[in-house]
Amino acid sequence: QVQLVESGGGLVQAGGSLRLSCAASGRTFRSYIMGWFRQAPGKEREFVVGISRSGYSIHYADSVKGRFTGSRDNAKNTVYLEMNNLNPEDTAVYYCAAGNTELVGPYDYWGQGTQVTVSS
């Protein structure tokens, strides 16, 4: 198993940037595919980005492509989501997840989430 803890959320103006982090416990972090998802109020949770075990293969949702960058540091057991040019539609609770199948899921382990609010 792996425990995941997100951080870095907050309130930002449209056009701004935020960097989310997700720290994983355990010595098996590098064996997991890592992903970021988000859930806006009244909407279903949606895929944002999936990162391969090595970090070299990354798959983005079309809605964030070119604005968000996913990465991981296996030495630090941490995965990151750099978010640029944010807009109000990006407002959501962001979750990191760990899985063993495909970059787009399904994922087996989830963090508690961190709130990102983008004001217009």
Side-chain angles (χ1 to χ4, degrees):
Q1 286 200 0
V2 60
Q3 283 77 46
L4 305 171
V5 180
E6 303 95 335
S7 61
L11 174 64
V12 63
Q13 289 187 333
S17 299
L18 278 176
R19 188 194 197 202
L20 305 183
S21 299
C22 173
S25 65
R27 289 179 286 183
T28 59
F29 174 75
R30 63 180 66 241
S31 71
Y32 290 102
I33 295 169
M34 297 301 297
W36 287 96
F37 289 73
R38 67 185 181 184
Q39 187 167 18
K43 296 187 177 181
E44 293 187 354
R45 186 157 52 188
E46 65 172 350
F47 170 83
V48 175
V49 62
I51 306 167
S52 67
R53 295 174 178 86
S54 66
Y56 289 120
S57 181
I58 303 175
H59 179 74
Y60 295 95
D62 288 343
S63 58
V64 305
K65 201 172 295 183
R67 300 187 300 122
F68 290 13
T69 302
S71 62
R72 65 189 295 166
D73 186 337
N74 286 341
K76 295 183 178 180
N77 281 14
T78 303
V79 62
Y80 304 97
L81 183 64
E82 183 77 34
M83 306 184 293
N84 298 311
N85 194 21
L86 286 160
N87 58 64
E89 289 71 37
D90 296 314
T91 294
V93 178
Y94 284 71
Y95 300 89
C96 74
N100 288 292
T101 53
E102 303 291 336
L103 296 185
V104 295
Y107 285 82
D108 304 304
Y109 304 102
W110 297 84
Q112 83 289 347
T114 186
Q115 176 71 48
V116 171
T117 303
V118 185
S119 63
S120 57

